[in-house]
Each structure stands twice: as C-alpha cells, then as structure tokens.
Amino acid sequence: MGRVEGKTVLITGAARGQGRAHAIRLAEEGADIIAVDLCEDIPTNSYPMARRADLDETVQQVEKLDRRIVALQADVRDRVGLRAAVEQGVTELGGTLHGVVAQAGICPLGTQDAQAFLDAVSVDFNGVVNAVDAALPYLADGGSVIATGSLAGLIAGATDNPSNGFGGLGYSFAKRSVASFVNDLAIVLAPRSIRVNAVHPTNCNTDMLNSEVMYRQFRPDLENPTREDALPAFPAMNAMPVPYVEPEDIAAMILFLVSDESKYVTGMQMRVDAGGYVKLRPQQPTF
Ligand SMILES: NC(=O)c1ccc[n+]([C@@H]2O[C@H](COP(=O)([O-])OP(=O)(O)OC[C@H]3O[C@@H](n4cnc5c(N)ncnc54)[C@H](O)[C@@H]3O)[C@@H](O)[C@H]2O)c1
C-alpha cells in the first residue's frame, strides 16, 4: 500500500519545478493527479513560464508509474475557468478529491510596474483562494489543503526589498496572505476534519530561482550576474550550509501532508527552509 493510495489530488503549477515533483512523488505512493498549469508567459514576470511540453512531461512521468493523470491548461487567476478545469478533471477521475496543492506561482521582481504588484497578488494569493474554491465542492471529509508560501516572502527585506520593485512587494504580500488564509481556513474546515496547511520553501532549485532576476537579488553588486556568481550567495538564506533545497525535498513534506499520517495536523506553517527562519531568532526575548 502506498502512503496516499487511492487518493486524487489537484496540483496547480504542475507542469514543472516543485509542482511536477509533487505529482511524481504522490503518484509513486498511489495517488491519481489533476495537474493544472497556465503554460503561458505573464508579461510582468521576466523569466519564462512553463510550456505545454512541460505539462506533457509531467503526464508521462506520472503515467510511467501506472497512475492516472488529467492535465489541463488553466489560469489560477481565472476562477470560472479553473472551476471548469477542476470539474472536468474530477469527473474523469471518479468524482472526489482528497487533496489540493495550491502552488502555482510567479515572482515578478525587478520592475516598478504597478501591474507586477497586482499580478503577484493575483497569482500567488488569489490563485490559492481560487484553487480551494474550485476544489471545495468535491473535497472529501478528512481531505488536505496545502498552499505554498515562501521563506523569502515571510521575512522582511527579502522579496519586499525596495530594490526588487513592486512585484517583489506583491510577492511578499501574497505569501503573507497565504499564511494568514491557511490559519483561518483551518478553523473553517476543521468541522469536516479537512486539514489546511502552508508549506514555506527556502530557495528551491527550479526555474524560479535559476533566473536572472534572482541572480541579481543575490548579487546586487554585479550588473549581469550569472548562476555561478549567485551560487556562493544562495546559502545566505539558510542556517544549514546549502544553497537551496531540491523540489523533491518539498515533495516529501507535501506527501506527508496529503497522507493520513498528518490527519490531525492543521493550521500549520511548515517551513522546509534549512533553518532560514529560525536563524533570524524570531523567538529571541526582547528584554
Ligand atoms: N523556487 C524557489 O526558490 C521558491 C522558494 C519559495 C517558494 N516558492 C514557491 O513555490 C511555488 C512553485 O514554484 P517553483 O519553484 O516550482 O517555480 P516554477 O516557475 O518552476 O513553477 C511555477 C509553475 O506555476 C505555473 N504558473 C504560474 N502562473 C500560473 C497561473 N496563473 N496559472 C497556472 N499556473 C501558473 C508556471 O507555469 C510553472 O509551471 C511558487 O508558489 C513559488 O512562489 C519557490
């Protein structure tokens, strides 16, 4: 028996990166997957989004594990379109959802365009609310809702540093809002024994981190920093001596939270951050 055998899980942003890792890990442990991704660029976001070919690769990887997957192109900002996609996926896979991993995200750093602020909030926060909204009619009692936050979004002076522009401010606002949303939604869904938790990754080795805007955040002293330039600076986020975690490290937490092993774990801010948060000593006495 796999750890999530027989469960059906919706994952937004599943074409690549962490979303694909979650789809594969959950499928390895017996889940069927509804994989949603935009597969198009968002103009204020300077690095490219996934493409249909990426989503197709996720499909292949899950099918290799003999699990079922329905992959759909939809925009998490579009509540009506997302509802239709989720309805289609759930109908094809038996009518019930046991988990939601709302993790589609953008990080439109490096622009003073006000639209970047709104896009970050619309994808990274409204997109989470829309995913829960689309899933709720099908979500079984005892199910699991997981939303992806961010270590950088939670700590002051990281993505919200003025040098990152309005998109960075929007990213931090959205991720703080995700943390708060999860806290209160846990109260609302507890009577149905549905758990609601946030996962906050530190730097994770995906296209979002491996982008020019991120290299510039870590090496503001250079005009056109490369990955090699940024690599020695990445560990500054963490207490442990690592530059980043891998998508599979986050998937391990997602698997635990979707599985019944965490059936009484709710309202939690689960940081997979190599000690990046505690090293700021948030519990240090103030006297
Ligand atoms: N990579 C990091 O260092 C890091 C750190 C902390 C948090 N996160 C968060 O992890 C999540 C996953 O990001 P990732 O690291 O895998 O990066 P990624 O860019 O590889 O993956 C994000 C996915 O979301 C999709 N997406 C973006 N906007 C969408 C929309 N409007 N509708 C549907 N799909 C959309 C993209 O096409 C892409 O496939 C994000 O929420 C991100 O903020 C990432």
Side-chain angles (χ1 to χ4, degrees), residues 229-254:
D229 295 323
L231 206 50
F234 281 156
M237 283 296 286
N238 308 323
M240 295 177 185
V242 289
Y244 41 67
V245 299
E246 295 294 340
E248 292 72 22
D249 297 316
I250 309 300
M253 176 61 81
I254 299 291

Side-chain angles (χ1 to χ4, degrees), residues 16 18 37-38 50 74-76 103 149 171 175 201-202 204 206:
R16 70 178 188 194
Q18 295 178 56
D37 205 288
L38 176 61
D75 189 336
V76 297
Q103 69 101 56
Y171 186 86
K175 297 300 189 180
T202 182
C204 187
T206 67

Side-chain angles (χ1 to χ4, degrees), residues 12-20 22 36-40 42 45 47-51 54 74-78 82 102-107 122-124 148-153 171 175 199-210 214 244 247:
T12 66
R16 70 178 188 194
Q18 295 178 56
R20 180 189 287 164
H22 304 339
V36 169
D37 205 288
L38 176 61
C39 300
E40 265 175 32
I42 293 177
N45 198 64
Y47 59 91
M49 301 283 89
R51 295 288 179 264
D54 297 305
D75 189 336
V76 297
R77 294 171 295 182
D78 168 13
L82 191 61
Q103 69 101 56
I106 59 170
C107 194
S122 300
V123 176
D124 298 338
T148 301
S150 161
L151 169 67
Y171 186 86
K175 297 300 189 180
V199 172
H200 299 285
T202 182
N203 301 336
C204 187
N205 193 17
T206 67
D207 289 305
M208 182 180 285
L209 181 70
N210 295 306
M214 285 291 175
Y244 41 67

